[in-house]
Amino acid sequence: MDATLKALFDAADHAAQKAYAPYSNFSVGAAIRTASGHILSGCNVENAAYPAGTCAEAGAIAAMIAAGETKISDIAIVGVKSNPCYPCGACRQRIFEFSDAATRVHLRDGATGEAITHSIDALLPHAFGPRDLA
Ligand code: THU
C-alpha cells in the first residue's frame, strides 16, 4: 500500500479508537481524503436510544462539510474487531452524495492487512442521487 493510502487508513484507525460504541462493542472509523487533499475523519457514536446512534462515515462526512469541502476522493473504513468493514446501505448513499465516478472506497482485508478498493458505483449500483433531482 502506498504512503498516501496508509495515511488515510491511519486516520481511520485513530478515529476508530475514539468510537463510542458501548452497546454493540463494534467500533468503526472512517477517514475521507477530499479532492483538495485534506483528511477528515469520524467514528461511530451510539446512543442509549439505539436508532439515534450514528455511523463513522456519517461523522467523517459531517467533518468534511464543516471544513467546507464537498468532494470525496477516497474514503477508508475500518472496524476495530472485524475487517473488511463494508459500509452499511445508508452510508453507501451518504458517500454517493459526495462522490463521482473516480471516488474510491477502501476497506481493510482482515487476513492480509491490504486494502480492498471499490468504486462507489460497485457498492451502490443504479443509485438515486443529486442528478435525479436536477
Ligand atoms: N457502523 C458504522 O459506523 N458504519 C457502518 O457502515 C456499519 C455500522 C456502526 C454502527 C453501530 O454503531 C455499529 O457499527 C454496529 O452496527
Side-chain angles (χ1 to χ4, degrees):
M1 169 184 325
D2 69 26
T4 309
L5 186 54
K6 185 179 181 308
L8 198 63
F9 273 109
D10 285 350
D13 284 332
H14 189 77
Q17 292 300 327
K18 307 285 188 199
Y20 178 76
Y23 306 107
S24 70
N25 287 310
F26 192 87
S27 295
V28 183
I32 291 169
R33 183 183 304 284
T34 66
S36 65
H38 293 138
I39 292 179
L40 290 314
S41 61
C43 57
N44 53 332
V45 182
E46 296 184 348
N47 193 284
Y50 291 178
T54 51
C55 284
E57 298 90 327
I61 288 169
M64 176 186 75
I65 296 300
E69 304 242 19
T70 57
K71 293 285 176 211
I72 300 174
S73 176
D74 297 84
I75 179 168
I77 304 160
V78 298
V80 166
K81 277 188 175 170
S82 170
N83 287 292
C85 179
Y86 276 88
C88 73
C91 285
R92 293 175 196 212
Q93 186 72 44
R94 291 187 176 103
I95 294 165
F96 183 81
E97 181 77 14
F98 305 104
S99 292
D100 60 27
T103 298
R104 287 161 299 213
V105 181
H106 308 281
L107 301 317
R108 177 178 287 135
D109 185 317
T112 67
E114 290 302 311
I116 300 169
T117 300
H118 297 284
S119 66
I120 188 64
D121 185 58
L123 296 177
L124 191 68
H126 308 292
F128 181 90
R131 272 195 308 266
D132 294 290
L133 296 178

